[in-house]
Short mmCIF file of all heavy atoms in Angstrom, two decimals:
data_model
loop_
_atom_site.label_atom_id
_atom_site.label_comp_id
_atom_site.label_asym_id
_atom_site.label_seq_id
_atom_site.Cartn_x
_atom_site.Cartn_y
_atom_site.Cartn_z
N LEU Y 1 4.90 -6.57 14.46
CA LEU Y 1 5.16 -5.21 14.33
C LEU Y 1 5.19 -4.76 12.84
O LEU Y 1 4.76 -3.76 12.51
CB LEU Y 1 6.57 -4.81 14.97
CG LEU Y 1 6.97 -3.40 15.15
CD1 LEU Y 1 5.96 -2.53 15.82
CD2 LEU Y 1 8.33 -3.26 15.72
N GLY Y 2 5.88 -5.64 11.99
CA GLY Y 2 5.94 -5.34 10.64
C GLY Y 2 4.69 -5.42 9.87
O GLY Y 2 4.36 -4.54 9.03
N GLU Y 3 3.87 -6.35 10.28
CA GLU Y 3 2.48 -6.51 9.73
C GLU Y 3 1.58 -5.25 10.10
O GLU Y 3 0.89 -4.78 9.28
CB GLU Y 3 1.83 -7.75 10.18
CG GLU Y 3 2.45 -9.01 9.60
CD GLU Y 3 1.90 -10.21 10.23
OE1 GLU Y 3 1.14 -10.14 11.26
OE2 GLU Y 3 2.15 -11.41 9.73
N GLU Y 4 1.75 -4.77 11.35
CA GLU Y 4 1.03 -3.56 11.70
C GLU Y 4 1.38 -2.32 10.96
O GLU Y 4 0.63 -1.48 10.51
CB GLU Y 4 1.25 -3.33 13.29
CG GLU Y 4 0.52 -4.44 14.05
CD GLU Y 4 0.86 -4.22 15.55
OE1 GLU Y 4 1.81 -3.42 15.84
OE2 GLU Y 4 0.21 -4.92 16.37
N ARG Y 5 2.79 -2.27 10.74
CA ARG Y 5 3.32 -1.18 9.95
C ARG Y 5 2.81 -1.22 8.55
O ARG Y 5 2.48 -0.17 7.97
CB ARG Y 5 4.83 -1.17 10.01
CG ARG Y 5 5.67 -0.04 9.34
CD ARG Y 5 5.80 -0.17 7.76
NE ARG Y 5 6.16 -1.45 7.43
CZ ARG Y 5 7.44 -1.89 7.29
NH1 ARG Y 5 8.41 -1.05 7.54
NH2 ARG Y 5 7.75 -3.19 6.93
N ASP Y 6 2.84 -2.42 7.95
CA ASP Y 6 2.44 -2.61 6.62
C ASP Y 6 0.97 -2.11 6.40
O ASP Y 6 0.60 -1.47 5.36
CB ASP Y 6 2.58 -4.07 6.09
CG ASP Y 6 3.95 -4.42 5.97
OD1 ASP Y 6 4.92 -3.54 6.04
OD2 ASP Y 6 4.30 -5.71 5.90
N ALA Y 7 0.11 -2.51 7.31
CA ALA Y 7 -1.33 -2.28 7.27
C ALA Y 7 -1.51 -0.73 7.33
O ALA Y 7 -2.33 -0.16 6.66
CB ALA Y 7 -2.10 -2.98 8.31
N ALA Y 8 -0.75 -0.06 8.29
CA ALA Y 8 -0.91 1.36 8.41
C ALA Y 8 -0.42 2.12 7.17
O ALA Y 8 -1.07 3.08 6.84
CB ALA Y 8 -0.10 1.77 9.66
N LEU Y 9 0.65 1.66 6.59
CA LEU Y 9 1.12 2.27 5.40
C LEU Y 9 0.12 2.25 4.25
O LEU Y 9 -0.21 3.24 3.55
CB LEU Y 9 2.53 1.73 4.86
CG LEU Y 9 3.73 2.04 5.80
CD1 LEU Y 9 4.90 1.19 5.35
CD2 LEU Y 9 4.04 3.48 5.69
N LYS Y 10 -0.42 1.05 4.03
CA LYS Y 10 -1.40 0.84 2.89
C LYS Y 10 -2.63 1.61 3.15
O LYS Y 10 -3.33 1.97 2.19
CB LYS Y 10 -1.64 -0.64 2.77
CG LYS Y 10 -0.51 -1.53 2.20
CD LYS Y 10 -0.93 -2.93 2.05
CE LYS Y 10 0.21 -3.79 1.51
NZ LYS Y 10 -0.16 -5.22 1.43
N ALA Y 11 -3.03 1.79 4.40
CA ALA Y 11 -4.26 2.44 4.72
C ALA Y 11 -4.23 4.02 4.35
O ALA Y 11 -5.29 4.58 4.19
CB ALA Y 11 -4.56 2.36 6.27
N VAL Y 12 -3.06 4.47 4.17
CA VAL Y 12 -2.91 5.85 3.73
C VAL Y 12 -3.27 6.05 2.28
O VAL Y 12 -3.67 7.13 1.88
CB VAL Y 12 -1.48 6.35 3.96
CG1 VAL Y 12 -1.19 7.76 3.39
CG2 VAL Y 12 -1.06 6.29 5.48
N LEU Y 13 -3.12 5.00 1.53
CA LEU Y 13 -3.38 5.15 0.05
C LEU Y 13 -4.82 5.15 -0.28
O LEU Y 13 -5.69 4.54 0.37
CB LEU Y 13 -2.69 3.97 -0.70
CG LEU Y 13 -1.19 3.70 -0.49
CD1 LEU Y 13 -0.78 2.53 -1.39
CD2 LEU Y 13 -0.49 4.94 -0.88
N THR Y 14 -5.20 5.82 -1.37
CA THR Y 14 -6.56 5.73 -1.93
C THR Y 14 -6.68 4.42 -2.75
O THR Y 14 -5.63 3.74 -3.01
CB THR Y 14 -6.94 6.92 -2.85
OG1 THR Y 14 -5.96 6.80 -4.03
CG2 THR Y 14 -6.64 8.27 -2.14
N ALA Y 15 -7.86 4.06 -3.05
CA ALA Y 15 -8.04 2.87 -3.86
C ALA Y 15 -7.26 2.86 -5.23
O ALA Y 15 -6.66 1.88 -5.61
CB ALA Y 15 -9.60 2.67 -4.13
N ASP Y 16 -7.32 4.03 -5.91
CA ASP Y 16 -6.60 4.20 -7.11
C ASP Y 16 -5.09 4.04 -6.92
O ASP Y 16 -4.32 3.49 -7.72
CB ASP Y 16 -6.88 5.56 -7.77
CG ASP Y 16 -8.32 5.52 -8.38
OD1 ASP Y 16 -8.92 4.40 -8.58
OD2 ASP Y 16 -8.84 6.65 -8.64
N GLN Y 17 -4.60 4.75 -5.82
CA GLN Y 17 -3.22 4.61 -5.54
C GLN Y 17 -2.70 3.18 -5.17
O GLN Y 17 -1.67 2.78 -5.58
CB GLN Y 17 -2.87 5.55 -4.41
CG GLN Y 17 -2.87 7.00 -4.79
CD GLN Y 17 -2.83 7.95 -3.52
OE1 GLN Y 17 -3.13 7.59 -2.45
NE2 GLN Y 17 -2.36 9.16 -3.80
N GLN Y 18 -3.56 2.43 -4.45
CA GLN Y 18 -3.28 1.07 -4.16
C GLN Y 18 -3.22 0.25 -5.43
O GLN Y 18 -2.35 -0.61 -5.59
CB GLN Y 18 -4.42 0.44 -3.26
CG GLN Y 18 -4.17 -1.01 -2.93
CD GLN Y 18 -2.96 -1.21 -2.01
OE1 GLN Y 18 -2.88 -0.72 -0.89
NE2 GLN Y 18 -2.02 -2.04 -2.55
N LYS Y 19 -4.11 0.54 -6.36
CA LYS Y 19 -4.07 -0.20 -7.63
C LYS Y 19 -2.76 0.10 -8.42
O LYS Y 19 -2.19 -0.76 -9.01
CB LYS Y 19 -5.32 0.21 -8.47
CG LYS Y 19 -5.46 -0.57 -9.81
CD LYS Y 19 -6.80 -0.07 -10.53
CE LYS Y 19 -6.79 -0.88 -11.88
NZ LYS Y 19 -8.15 -0.48 -12.58
N GLU Y 20 -2.39 1.34 -8.35
CA GLU Y 20 -1.21 1.78 -9.10
C GLU Y 20 0.04 1.13 -8.38
O GLU Y 20 1.01 0.69 -9.12
CB GLU Y 20 -1.08 3.32 -8.99
CG GLU Y 20 0.25 3.86 -9.67
CD GLU Y 20 0.34 3.61 -11.20
OE1 GLU Y 20 -0.70 3.27 -11.80
OE2 GLU Y 20 1.44 3.59 -11.75
N TRP Y 21 0.02 1.09 -7.04
CA TRP Y 21 1.11 0.43 -6.35
C TRP Y 21 1.27 -1.00 -6.71
O TRP Y 21 2.33 -1.46 -7.00
CB TRP Y 21 0.98 0.66 -4.88
CG TRP Y 21 1.79 -0.25 -3.96
CD1 TRP Y 21 1.35 -1.20 -3.07
CD2 TRP Y 21 3.18 -0.17 -3.78
NE1 TRP Y 21 2.39 -1.86 -2.48
CE2 TRP Y 21 3.62 -1.17 -2.87
CE3 TRP Y 21 4.21 0.62 -4.41
CZ2 TRP Y 21 4.80 -1.47 -2.47
CZ3 TRP Y 21 5.46 0.32 -3.94
CH2 TRP Y 21 5.84 -0.62 -3.04
N ASP Y 22 0.12 -1.76 -6.76
CA ASP Y 22 0.21 -3.08 -7.10
C ASP Y 22 0.72 -3.38 -8.51
O ASP Y 22 1.48 -4.29 -8.84
CB ASP Y 22 -1.22 -3.65 -6.95
CG ASP Y 22 -1.76 -3.85 -5.51
OD1 ASP Y 22 -0.84 -3.88 -4.66
OD2 ASP Y 22 -2.98 -3.93 -5.37
N SER Y 23 0.32 -2.41 -9.41
CA SER Y 23 0.83 -2.61 -10.82
C SER Y 23 2.31 -2.35 -10.91
O SER Y 23 2.96 -2.93 -11.83
CB SER Y 23 -0.01 -1.57 -11.78
OG SER Y 23 0.46 -0.23 -11.47
N ARG Y 24 2.90 -1.44 -10.07
CA ARG Y 24 4.29 -1.24 -10.15
C ARG Y 24 5.08 -2.39 -9.49
O ARG Y 24 6.33 -2.51 -9.73
CB ARG Y 24 4.58 0.11 -9.39
CG ARG Y 24 4.13 1.33 -10.17
CD ARG Y 24 4.52 2.69 -9.52
NE ARG Y 24 3.96 3.72 -10.34
CZ ARG Y 24 4.67 4.27 -11.46
NH1 ARG Y 24 5.85 3.83 -11.70
NH2 ARG Y 24 4.15 5.21 -12.12
N LEU Y 25 4.42 -3.12 -8.63
CA LEU Y 25 5.07 -4.31 -8.09
C LEU Y 25 5.34 -5.43 -9.14
O LEU Y 25 6.16 -6.19 -9.14
CB LEU Y 25 4.39 -4.90 -6.92
CG LEU Y 25 4.35 -4.07 -5.61
CD1 LEU Y 25 3.51 -4.66 -4.62
CD2 LEU Y 25 5.77 -3.80 -5.08
#
């Protein structure tokens, strides 16, 4: 259930937003 949620959340981001999120981690 958590993995499905994680995938759904990340799918909302654009490629640039995903890159920014990774940098903030």
Side-chain angles (χ1 to χ4, degrees):
L1 185 62
E3 290 173 350
E4 291 174 349
R5 185 277 316 270
D6 291 349
L9 288 173
K10 289 181 179 179
V12 175
L13 304 182
T14 66
D16 287 342
Q17 288 168 336
Q18 178 66 62
K19 184 177 180 180
E20 178 65 20
W21 166 245
D22 290 340
S23 71
R24 289 183 180 276
L25 291 176

